[in-house]
Amino acid sequence: MLTSDDLAFFSVLVGSRSLAESARKLNVTPPAVTQRLRALEEKVGVRLIDRTGKSLFLTEEGSLVASHSVIVSNAIDELSEALADRRGVVRGHLRIAAPHGFGRQHVAPVVEAFAREHKSALATLELSDHPSALLIESFEVIIHIGARGHLDQVVTTLAPNRRILCASPQYLTSASPILEPADLARHRCLAVRENEEDVTLWRFTGPRQETATVRINPAMSSNDGSVIRDWALAGQGVMMRSEWSVAEDLVAGRLQEVLPDWQLPSADIIAMLGSRHGRSARSTAFLKLLRQSLKPPPWRSGNMASVGQ
């Protein structure tokens, strides 16, 4: 009868390109790996691996054992993590996804702090143009800016974040006045093509709660928010960007808010959690650190507080 140790050993073989690589992973000699593989094959009565030259190829029976090895290994890992969570122990592999710009500036430093504080845990951060489209079961925490994803996802709000219409003083001085949303139809507009939103339809709520919708025809567009910001700073047109991205530019006068009395839909910073991972000690510890780093929101601290009001 196969034991969990047998399956764990075979999982290492399956994940290696050679017996020598398996030996390095198991911290034993190659002859010891060969001997144990022979013993395993004698136990099950069939050949599990064809060893042609230096390469390893699974037999049909070997593929069957390998698939069960993964199932058992995952079950053992999940049980170990569940027991560790009961004790509040932070361990295992924390997988986080976040947008490129926000992830680089605000999430990556927190991942580094998490790794420094919890040395028994592993951490992976994947930056993506569209993190909310990633499979929630592949990541424990997905940082997203804007509306929540699927209704069955566990969502927690991390920080407030407005969308702001702005342009450079250079552009606004040379262009016709923008007194109401309809005026934008006559202006050069810059659009960030991200997520699945209709980025050419800009919706506003006025000072008396009246609403206005403008369909823009972007003069320039990109899937990278930093590129759009650079174009706006260069005087290329009017853009709609997140408060966190442009707060410093507004305070410094490099950008000016357009139609400040009209509000755009907010785009709060949220975390989407898989139902299976939402209660893990590592995700709880990471989110605690991330909340601390965003409270108060860096883009509303000090001299930038007035921008977010």
Side-chain angles (χ1 to χ4, degrees):
M1 179 179 294
L2 292 177
T3 66
S4 59
D5 285 342
D6 291 331
L7 294 177
F9 166 73
F10 197 67
S11 292
V12 174
L13 290 186
V14 171
S16 305
R17 289 169 294 184
S18 65
L19 291 178
E21 182 179 333
S22 299
R24 288 193 296 273
K25 292 179 180 179
L26 295 167
N27 197 27
V28 297
T29 63
V33 172
T34 301
Q35 184 177 357
R36 185 168 182 184
L37 176 58
R38 286 202 189 105
L40 181 59
E41 290 177 330
E42 289 176 6
K43 181 184 287 190
V44 297
V46 293
R47 193 171 183 83
L48 300 176
I49 291 181
D50 282 331
R51 298 174 284 284
T52 304
K54 294 183 178 181
S55 301
L56 303 178
F57 299 96
L58 289 174
T59 64
E60 199 171 311
E61 293 80 5
S63 296
L64 179 62
V65 173
S67 64
H68 283 273
S69 297
V70 172
I71 294 172
V72 172
S73 177
N74 288 342
I76 292 174
D77 287 344
E78 289 182 9
L79 176 58
S80 297
E81 290 180 10
L83 292 173
D85 288 341
R86 289 289 185 95
R87 305 193 309 273
V89 177
V90 177
R91 62 180 296 278
H93 194 169
L94 176 65
R95 295 177 176 86
I96 310 132
H100 277 288
F102 188 84
R104 191 180 303 111
Q105 186 170 338
H106 293 288
V107 180
V110 178
V111 175
E112 192 276 329
F114 170 86
R116 192 177 341 109
E117 185 172 331
H118 303 288
K119 299 190 183 300
S120 296
L122 303 175
T124 296
L125 172 62
E126 179 164 329
L127 301 181
S128 169
D129 290 332
H130 191 185
S132 63
L134 299 174
L135 290 176
I136 192 65
E137 291 307 313
S138 300
F139 295 89
E140 287 193 55
V141 180
I142 294 180
I143 307 302
H144 176 63
I145 301 176
R148 60 177 293 162
H150 302 296
L151 294 178
D152 59 347
Q153 291 174 343
V154 179
V155 175
T156 180
T157 300
L158 300 172
N161 176 58
R162 290 175 56 213
R163 284 190 174 105
I164 295 177
L165 201 68
C166 53
S168 71
Q170 171 191 349
Y171 176 82
L172 294 175
T173 299
S174 60
S176 59
I178 305 175
L179 304 178
E180 57 184 30
D183 293 335
L184 291 167
R186 299 188 297 273
H187 279 261
R188 289 176 58 85
C189 293
L190 314 175
V192 183
R193 298 190 181 278
E194 57 186 357
N195 302 333
E196 295 175 352
E197 299 178 19
D198 185 351
V199 297
T200 65
L201 191 64
W202 290 359
R203 297 181 174 89
F204 298 84
T205 300
R208 293 181 296 279
Q209 299 305 303
E210 67 272 38
T211 60
T213 302
V214 178
R215 174 71 69 180
I216 64 164
N217 183 22
M220 303 174 74
S221 63
S222 171
N223 68 332
D224 189 314
S226 295
V227 169
I228 294 295
R229 172 179 168 272
D230 289 342
W231 288 343
L233 289 170
Q236 286 292 343
V238 182
M239 68 171 178
M240 178 175 63
R241 289 299 293 143
S242 279
E243 175 186 355
W244 75 265
S245 175
V246 297
E248 290 186 7
D249 294 317
L250 292 168
V251 170
R254 293 185 292 268
L255 293 173
Q256 290 181 9
E257 187 169 0
V258 175
L259 298 176
D261 293 333
W262 292 79
Q263 299 298 310
L264 291 157
S266 62
D268 291 343
I269 314 299
I270 64 174
M272 298 186 293
L273 313 174
S275 57
R276 183 166 65 88
H277 299 301
R279 294 180 297 274
S280 73
R282 59 179 174 270
S283 61
T284 299
F286 170 74
L287 287 173
K288 180 181 178 181
L289 290 174
L290 186 56
R291 285 185 188 280
Q292 290 173 347
S293 73
L294 297 177
K295 189 176 182 179
W299 49 91
R300 293 188 179 182
S301 61
N303 292 331
M304 286 186 282
S306 60
V307 176
Q309 301 302 315

